[in-house]
Amino acid sequence: QVQLVESGGGSVQAGGSLRLSCAASGFIGISYCMGWFRQAPGKEREGVAVIDAVGRPTYADSVKGRFTISKDNAKNTLYLQMSSLQPEDTAMYYCAAVEGNEVGAGPMRVSEYHYWGQGTQVTVSS
């Protein structure tokens, strides 16, 4: 059974940094892609950054140059280093995963991911 558990959210002031972590379990002997998505109140869930099975990242334009996604395969843990945070980054951040070497139909599409964590809140104040 696949399980994703996020941690690391919190409240920071604009310009600050946070690192999110997502511990994955249940992927035994198979390749998988993972990603970070976020959902602000009243808005649809959107892709933030994803990484395929061989470590190639894709970023939303809004976070390029500020966020870095990485994965520690030995620990089965996904990270999102967030810097220069802005109030518009305030959202619930979700970790997601799907089996396969890449998400060919659209790596940032919410519908492509089969497994989701419970979310961790990130709040950025001005």
Side-chain angles (χ1 to χ4, degrees), residues 23-80:
S25 59
F27 289 106
I28 300 175
I30 59 174
S31 300
Y32 57 98
C33 304
M34 298 186 75
W36 290 100
F37 294 75
R38 66 187 182 187
Q39 188 167 18
K43 294 188 176 181
E44 293 187 353
R45 192 170 298 189
E46 63 176 3
V48 175
V50 300
I51 189 166
D52 68 14
V54 295
R56 293 173 297 196
T58 302
Y59 296 96
D61 288 343
S62 60
V63 306
K64 282 181 181 176
R66 301 188 299 122
F67 291 9
T68 301
I69 189 171
S70 61
K71 187 168 66 168
D72 185 330
N73 290 322
K75 296 182 178 180
N76 289 327
T77 300
L78 181 73
Y79 300 100
L80 183 68

Side-chain angles (χ1 to χ4, degrees), residues 1-4 23-28 30 99 115-116:
Q1 182 178 354
V2 174
Q3 191 172 19
L4 304 174
S25 59
F27 289 106
I28 300 175
I30 59 174
E99 301 93 337
Y115 308 102
W116 293 85

Side-chain angles (χ1 to χ4, degrees), residues 11-19 66-67 81-87 89 122-126:
S11 297
V12 296
Q13 290 190 326
S17 299
L18 281 174
R19 189 176 82 156
R66 301 188 299 122
F67 291 9
Q81 179 67 48
M82 304 184 293
S83 302
S84 300
L85 283 161
Q86 299 301 316
D89 295 315
V122 171
T123 302
V124 185
S125 58
S126 57

